[in-house]
Amino acid sequence: MNPESLFWKVAHGELPRPNAAALLGWKFIKYDEQNSKVYIEFDASTELTNPMGNIQGGRLSAMQDNCMGPSVYANLSATQIAVTIEAKTQFFRPASPGRILGWGQVEHATRKICFTTGQLTNEAHEVLAIATAIYQIHNLR
């Protein structure tokens, strides 16, 4: 964990949430340092729904990215960024507007690349979607 990282500044309210995170209703819950795992909650509004009234799949993929990305950022320096270079989401059931729980975890990391997994559930703890992503680490210029 690096308390100087951009992620921790957002999580502690020192920096504003990115616009995409605010749109998704992103809220930091906790960080499990031993497992490099971040827990996030989303307040999914009706503005995120498709014509059937469910949260649109692309928005769920964005939620996954907003769980897995912070698991990477939690350990970066303030002069580093993580860029998603590959992501895959598998959907298991429709998601309704309201509270969605998520987590993201770094499974393997080198100095330049991180492999992550993530999961979203509803309030009944039914799995909505799982995901994997690869992030490339860059130094800010």
Side-chain angles (χ1 to χ4, degrees):
M1 179 175 99
N2 181 355
E4 297 302 315
S5 73
L6 294 174
F7 167 74
W8 287 110
K9 291 180 189 247
V10 172
H12 293 121
E14 296 170 34
L15 290 173
R17 289 182 299 175
N19 291 337
L23 174 69
L24 297 171
W26 185 94
K27 179 183 174 193
F28 171 70
I29 301 299
K30 69 178 181 175
Y31 179 66
D32 174 356
E33 186 172 5
Q34 183 176 359
N35 295 303
S36 297
K37 192 172 189 177
V38 173
Y39 294 87
I40 304 294
E41 178 181 304
F42 298 92
D43 181 15
S45 70
T46 56
E47 284 80 25
L48 304 177
T49 58
N50 61 25
M52 295 179 289
N54 298 314
I55 303 301
Q56 192 263 345
R59 306 294 187 165
L60 292 172
S61 292
M63 288 178 188
Q64 293 277 31
D65 190 47
N66 275 267
C67 292
M68 295 180 291
S71 72
V72 174
Y73 270 93
N75 292 297
L76 296 182
S77 75
T79 61
Q80 292 178 302
I81 60 167
V83 177
T84 310
I85 58 172
E86 180 179 293
K88 178 181 178 183
T89 302
Q90 295 174 300
F91 303 97
F92 294 99
R93 61 180 38 86
S96 300
R99 189 169 175 238
I100 294 177
L101 308 169
W103 58 261
Q105 181 173 17
V106 174
E107 297 290 341
H108 178 75
T110 68
R111 285 184 20 245
K112 296 290 180 184
I113 199 161
C114 292
F115 297 86
T116 64
T117 57
Q119 178 177 284
L120 297 175
T121 63
N122 59 21
E123 286 193 272
H125 300 288
E126 298 170 314
V127 176
L128 302 171
I130 61 172
T132 58
I134 302 170
Y135 295 84
Q136 192 172 51
I137 309 304
H138 297 276
N139 290 315
L140 293 172
R141 296 179 186 177

